[in-house]
Amino acid sequence: FADPAPLREEEGARLWLTMVFVVRMRTSQGMMRLLFKNDQATMEDLMLQVKDLTDVEPVDQKLMLMEPLPSRKKVDISGKDIRTTLAKVPLRKGDMLHLLESDKLRVKARPKPEKKKEETQSSSSKQKAKKGPHMTFKAYSKIAGEPVIPDFSSYLNNITHQRSVKSYAPNIHWKLQRYRHLDMFSFPSPTALMKFYSNSMPEVKEKMSRIGIMFGRYVEDINPLVEQNTHDDLKRKKVWDYDANGVRADVQAIYEPPQEAMSTGARFLTDPRQDIVQGMADAMGLEPVGLCICKAKAPEDKKGFQTILTAKELKMLARLQGVFANEKGFSRFACVVMVHQERVEPEAYAASDTCMALERDELLGTVKGEPFKLKTETPEGADPSAMPVIYVPKDNDQSGGTNQAKIKVNPGEPFPMDFFIVKVLATMSKAAVPLFKHCEFPVNGKLSDLKSYMQRHQNEGFATKFSDFNLLLNLPEFFGDKETETAVEVARCIGAGEEFPSDLCSKLDTWFIAKKLF
């Protein structure tokens, strides 16, 4: 196995609690820490990390190891072979190194970055961008190990006379989830979003919301730096860590199922076409990747908590994430929210694993009169003392949950739900190619709609003419049970980006002539 690479300073600061081997280093600029995963890192890794911190080249480094009491001697370790492990130097956890300097060689103090003119403007005119708190699921699992989704029902139903600490459900603290299963929603074309937004206007004007199901494909999101910085400071070729790549969902279409619009979040109704939609999407190589919600803007919370997702919408999202989860319980399903305002910008979110587990075990409830708060509910027959304890900011906290002050929430008491929400990116894609050429056919179309549609696109070939998601979903009903295979074959060709076979074109010509649609 290859020796573990050194961790950079900013990565080490973020993952301090996961490090097991720390070496201190004293320079003219003060104390510094060198962070490694274990003592099997090499002298080469150490020298490169020293260069990152001090700008002193490895060939110019004079490193002295301070021996422990009672000798307190300084031993020069600069001449060690670069392949020597820290354990063989020997370096122990917490040892002190001294970086010697001369008149010709000084550790460069890192200058403070100059503020740009834009940053000197008032905060009212421009706010500084904040770095997101979430890392990719692969990166988190590689460093801290794969997380485990708690099973709260096993604690509530396991009632015994003598209980240990391990028999109680784990506490839930006000802390953002450090990883996300989906990193980005990518839209190859804005057409589907624009049409959904337009279709939602009647509900939005009534201060209600509308929901749709986004269909697309999950792809590995490779970091763009993979083609940059291909060599390190010793002119060695870098091997990119593909295990830390993220996951991107390329959204190709939005399906609008039957629903009931409500002010606190729309509600799905029974969809008689559910199996047809799923079957046609499978033929196109698409799958449900998230919810799309269009809603009116809600008043801002005086204490700074979020007012984008309501408790009802978050519960629905957590429930659907559980439906589309893998065998380990992890789900890449998320949602995109469009708030009706002067400038509409799609924002994406997901429910945390803890929220998904609480909803799965039926422990979450909504609060009447407070649409942006949740409460825990004790299931019938469960032991109330075994309920998970939730800690949230104090009621008079004006920081929006950024302060560390926390109070215990009893079952049935409302609490803000910001820490159950994971931020996901949403962007227009330049790399992904739109799958569909058109986005104009109605959701529940009729033969008259099909006839007018074909007349508008009469000069196009079959592969372009049928390239409309809603049109494809209506084909099984148009063709009937005897021609279901024909509809599936059309969907497969569109999904694969292939031209229609001659026999398929003949079947379509015969059917359209028989229906007098040409």
Side-chain angles (χ1 to χ4, degrees):
F1 294 93
D3 291 332
L7 295 175
R8 303 302 182 193
E9 184 180 14
E10 65 261 21
E11 185 182 5
R14 187 176 65 248
L15 305 172
W16 171 257
L17 295 178
T18 66
M19 297 301 100
V20 295
F21 197 84
V22 182
V23 177
R24 299 172 295 165
M25 183 176 67
R26 185 180 296 278
T27 69
S28 61
Q29 298 299 322
M31 288 289 295
M32 299 181 182
R33 292 185 179 93
L34 307 178
L35 306 176
F36 306 92
K37 291 184 179 179
N38 52 47
D39 60 0
Q40 295 304 304
T42 63
M43 281 295 297
E44 180 182 9
D45 298 329
L46 184 144
M47 291 179 177
L48 289 177
Q49 198 169 154
V50 171
K51 180 186 181 301
D52 287 344
L53 296 173
T54 64
D55 292 332
V56 177
E57 296 294 335
V59 295
D60 297 326
Q61 294 174 12
K62 187 73 170 179
L63 294 170
M64 305 297 291
L65 171 62
M66 177 71 74
E67 291 186 344
L69 294 173
S71 64
R72 303 297 292 175
K73 292 182 180 179
K74 290 184 179 180
V75 180
D76 187 2
I77 64 171
S78 305
K80 297 284 185 180
D81 190 292
I82 61 173
R83 293 169 294 183
T84 304
T85 63
L86 301 185
K88 294 181 179 180
V89 171
L91 270 177
R92 294 174 296 275
K93 182 179 178 181
D95 276 354
M96 175 73 74
L97 293 179
H98 289 259
L99 180 61
L100 301 186
E101 305 172 25
S102 62
D103 294 336
K104 296 181 180 180
L105 179 63
R106 292 289 182 187
V107 175
K108 297 179 181 179
R110 295 192 172 184
K112 295 182 179 179
E114 296 182 0
K115 290 186 177 181
K116 298 180 181 180
K117 292 183 178 179
E118 296 178 353
E119 295 182 357
T120 59
Q121 298 176 1
S122 62
S123 58
S124 60
S125 59
K126 183 173 182 179
Q127 296 181 352
K128 296 181 181 179
K130 295 182 179 179
K131 188 176 180 181
H134 310 291
M135 65 176 71
T136 68
F137 179 71
K138 285 185 176 181
Y140 179 89
S141 299
K142 189 172 183 179
I143 296 170
E146 189 174 274
V148 178
I149 300 178
D151 183 6
F152 296 105
S153 61
S154 63
Y155 297 96
L156 298 175
N157 298 326
N158 185 21
I159 302 177
T160 59
H161 295 289
Q162 294 181 352
R163 306 191 64 175
S164 62
V165 175
K166 294 183 179 180
S167 67
Y168 289 89
N171 294 338
I172 302 173
H173 293 273
W174 183 275
K175 185 179 181 181
L176 289 178
Q177 183 172 284
R178 294 293 295 117
Y179 57 89
R180 55 191 177 193
H181 300 286
L182 178 69
D183 299 279
M184 179 187 299
F185 276 114
S186 173
F187 293 88
S189 172
T191 309
L193 271 180
M194 293 170 60
K195 182 179 180 181
F196 178 72
Y197 181 78
S198 177
N199 293 345
S200 305
M201 280 300 99
E203 289 85 355
V204 171
K205 290 180 179 178
E206 298 295 329
K207 303 297 181 181
M208 295 185 290
S209 62
R210 186 170 181 80
I211 51 179
I213 300 176
M214 297 184 292
F215 282 84
R217 294 166 179 163
Y218 294 113
V219 296
E220 187 177 23
D221 191 32
I222 299 178
N223 194 306
L225 294 180
V226 66
E227 297 180 358
Q228 305 176 20
N229 305 325
T230 56
H231 292 78
D232 62 16
D233 299 312
L234 297 181
K235 307 301 181 183
R236 300 173 307 175
K237 188 175 182 179
K238 289 183 179 179
V239 179
W240 184 257
D241 185 9
Y242 287 94
D243 291 337
N245 287 337
V247 177
R248 186 181 79 239
D250 291 337
V251 181
Q252 298 289 353
I254 301 176
Y255 171 63
E256 301 175 40
Q259 56 191 276
E260 179 185 0
M262 303 176 68
S263 59
T264 57
R267 181 173 68 93
F268 284 123
L269 302 177
T270 303
D271 187 1
R273 303 172 58 200
Q274 181 176 348
D275 294 337
I276 295 177
V277 172
Q278 188 61 57
M280 293 296 285
D282 291 340
M284 288 180 270
L286 303 178
E287 61 180 307
V289 295
L291 284 177
C292 192
I293 305 174
C294 187
K295 58 194 304 184
K297 186 177 181 179
E300 295 184 0
D301 186 80
K302 296 180 180 180
K303 297 181 181 179
F305 296 112
Q306 69 88 28
T307 56
I308 297 178
L309 284 176
T310 64
K312 185 177 179 180
E313 291 168 342
L314 183 61
K315 278 170 55 65
M316 178 174 60
L317 176 59
R319 185 168 61 255
L320 289 175
Q321 286 182 201
V323 172
F324 297 104
N326 60 17
E327 63 278 359
K328 294 183 179 180
F330 301 131
S331 177
R332 297 177 292 187
F333 196 87
C335 77
V336 171
V337 181
M338 291 188 293
V339 179
H340 178 60
Q341 50 190 345
E342 184 177 352
R343 182 179 179 181
V344 180
E345 293 185 2
E347 298 184 26
Y349 304 93
S352 67
D353 287 350
T354 302
C355 180
M356 189 173 65
L358 290 170
E359 176 63 20
R360 176 201 62 204
D361 297 334
E362 300 180 353
L363 301 181
L364 286 181
T366 56
V367 182
K368 186 177 181 180
E370 298 189 68
F372 299 100
K373 288 187 177 182
L374 288 168
K375 66 178 180 180
T376 55
E377 297 178 338
T378 305
E380 184 178 356
D383 183 6
S385 66
M387 285 287 291
V389 179
I390 299 179
Y391 293 91
V392 299
K394 292 182 178 180
D395 187 56
N396 58 357
D397 187 357
Q398 301 291 326
S399 67
T402 58
N403 289 344
Q404 296 298 316
K406 301 168 185 176
I407 58 173
K408 177 181 177 181
V409 177
N410 296 318
E413 294 180 349
F415 61 88
M417 57 188 193
D418 296 47
F419 68 114
F420 280 160
I421 299 176
V422 178
K423 185 72 175 74
V424 181
L425 302 178
T427 181
M428 297 298 166
S429 174
K430 296 182 180 179
V433 179
L435 182 61
F436 302 104
K437 306 295 183 183
H438 306 295
C439 184
E440 56 185 88
F441 202 80
V443 177
N444 297 303
K446 302 178 181 178
L447 285 177
S448 57
D449 298 318
L450 180 60
K451 183 176 182 179
S452 59
Y453 176 88
M454 289 300 171
Q455 290 176 349
R456 292 196 301 271
H457 301 283
Q458 58 184 346
N459 296 326
E460 299 176 356
F462 276 126
T464 303
K465 190 178 299 184
F466 280 89
S467 187
D468 186 294
F469 184 71
N470 284 334
L471 170 60
L472 294 173
L473 298 185
N474 283 273
L475 284 184
E477 296 182 8
F478 292 156
F479 289 167
D481 296 337
K482 295 182 179 180
E483 297 293 339
T484 302
E485 294 182 0
T486 302
V488 173
E489 180 65 14
V490 171
R492 190 198 64 78
C493 292
I494 295 297
E498 299 175 354
E499 291 293 332
F500 286 17
S502 57
D503 58 336
L504 179 60
C505 293
S506 300
K507 290 181 180 179
L508 293 174
D509 284 333
T510 302
W511 186 84
F512 275 97
I513 292 174
K515 295 292 183 180
K516 299 181 181 181
L517 296 177
F518 276 164

